[in-house]
Amino acid sequence: MNEVPMLMLLIGIGVLVQVVFKRILGLDELFERILKKLVDFIYYLLIPLAFIKTYTERGVMVNDLWLMASFIIFLVISMASLRLIVRHGSKDYYNALLITSIFPNAVFLGFPVSLALFGSIHVASIYGLATLVLNVVAPDIIALGKASLIRLIEMPALLGFIIGLIGHYLFPPGLAGTIINALWWAPYALSYTATMILGARLPLRVDVLRGNIKFIALTSIYRFMIAPLVTYIVLFIPGVDWSIVTQAIVVSMMPPAVLNTLIASKYGWMPELVASTTFILTLIVVLCLLFTNLLF
């Protein structure tokens, strides 16, 4: 648990930098340009390098398939049940609620939390891969009726995953070991940098939540109750090791991904409501982590 205060500090630094640039200096455009460069650095370099290191080291196990299955089953259950719950609401409202309820912050918060609590990102990486891929594919299918194969192939996380598997199964042990040792820093750099960027990207407006309590309540139920419950059931039935189940449950309970806000903005799915809900639920998770750290 020694890493948890570090995570809190990094998130706080990110929020503070955002406040200074936007609220005090009024340098919104400069802040967004810098932030975009840093996000691109994480997305296109640190994530694939961390995946290369992780999967060159461990390859793919049967448990990984169950982890992916747990998220896909949760996605299907959520799509069907939310359609019934908000059947009288607008299509934009349903889509906004759908992406916010389903897709967790498995990378920008899941990675550092897993590293802090369990000293490993193995489970978070496979869960994060599934959520990253489906977070791109599912909204495209919902909005356009089809998925972009090119966008999927060009995903840095997926490329890192594939290269890592090639390294694990095809490279000579000496070469694979060299790669693993050379990239020892990648998971840590990803976790710490992503945590600070998370704080810098959090939307600080919550006024849009007035009159939308049902939205945040439903999102909370799916993120903090249904997601871990489905994960537990799917992994418990085949007898997956309890240490893996525990990590998967923690990652499945992460708040909504910041990427959801970008997707909502792209398709006009009530982005301000998505952003505000993301901020509130992320704050709840961060405070729970801090409280747990103080207790234990």
Side-chain angles (χ1 to χ4, degrees):
M1 297 293 287
N2 294 333
E3 293 288 333
V4 174
M6 176 63 73
L7 299 186
M8 305 301 105
L9 177 62
L10 290 172
I11 291 175
I13 291 173
V15 172
L16 179 62
V17 170
Q18 179 182 178
V19 170
V20 170
F21 269 82
K22 288 188 170 183
R23 302 291 175 84
I24 298 177
L25 300 179
L27 300 174
D28 295 47
E29 292 186 6
L30 176 61
F31 177 77
E32 291 300 330
R33 286 200 301 269
I34 295 173
L35 195 59
K36 185 180 184 304
K37 294 293 183 182
L38 290 173
V39 170
D40 287 345
F41 175 70
I42 292 173
Y43 189 72
Y44 290 105
L45 184 64
L46 292 183
I47 289 178
L49 287 180
F51 274 49
I52 289 171
K53 189 268 181 186
T54 299
Y55 290 102
T56 299
E57 186 174 32
R58 68 189 292 270
V60 171
M61 305 175 185
V62 174
N63 290 336
D64 296 335
L65 302 179
W66 285 112
L67 287 168
M68 289 186 176
S70 69
F71 181 72
I72 293 172
I73 292 171
F74 168 66
L75 185 149
V76 173
I77 291 174
S78 299
M79 291 182 71
S81 57
L82 284 172
R83 173 57 71 185
L84 292 175
I85 293 172
V86 296
R87 58 186 178 276
H88 299 304
S90 68
K91 186 176 180 180
D92 288 345
Y93 184 90
Y94 166 75
N95 290 335
L97 182 60
L98 187 69
I99 61 173
T100 310
S101 300
I102 290 177
F103 298 108
N105 200 334
V107 175
F108 282 84
L109 192 56
F111 274 41
V113 167
S114 293
L115 193 64
L117 298 181
F118 308 109
S120 168
I121 64 165
H122 288 173
V123 172
S125 64
I126 199 70
Y127 204 92
L129 177 66
T131 56
L132 277 174
V133 170
L134 291 173
N135 209 346
V136 171
V137 173
D140 280 353
I141 293 176
I142 292 171
L144 308 175
K146 60 181 181 180
S148 172
L149 181 60
I150 295 177
R151 286 186 66 195
L152 183 61
I153 294 174
E154 291 178 345
M155 286 191 67
L158 187 58
L159 291 175
F161 173 70
I162 293 172
I163 293 171
L165 293 184
I166 293 173
H168 182 81
Y169 293 108
L170 298 180
F171 286 2
L175 178 57
T178 300
I179 293 173
I180 293 168
N181 292 331
L183 295 177
W184 67 269
W185 54 271
Y188 297 95
L190 170 60
S191 297
Y192 296 144
T193 308
T195 304
M196 189 168 61
I197 296 302
L198 171 66
R201 291 191 68 175
L202 281 177
L204 302 181
R205 288 185 56 199
V206 295
D207 54 303
V208 71
L209 291 177
R210 295 170 187 167
N212 288 294
I213 300 301
K214 179 181 178 181
F215 187 97
I216 191 171
L218 284 172
T219 302
S220 300
I221 290 171
Y222 276 83
R223 286 271 25 92
F224 302 143
M225 296 175 65
I226 298 178
L229 178 61
V230 171
T231 300
Y232 170 76
I233 293 172
V234 173
L235 298 183
F236 175 78
I237 292 174
V240 174
D241 185 84
W242 180 245
S243 64
I244 294 177
V245 175
T246 304
Q247 293 181 53
I249 289 173
V250 170
V251 176
S252 73
M253 292 177 66
M254 290 297 101
V258 178
L259 180 60
N260 293 331
T261 302
L262 302 180
I263 292 171
S265 299
K266 177 180 178 180
Y267 293 117
W269 295 343
M270 308 181 75
E272 289 191 351
L273 180 57
V274 172
S276 298
T277 302
T278 299
F279 171 69
I280 291 295
L281 297 189
T282 301
L283 183 62
I284 290 173
V285 170
V286 169
L287 291 176
C288 286
L289 284 170
L290 183 58
F291 181 70
T292 302
N293 181 68
L294 292 175
L295 284 180
F296 300 101

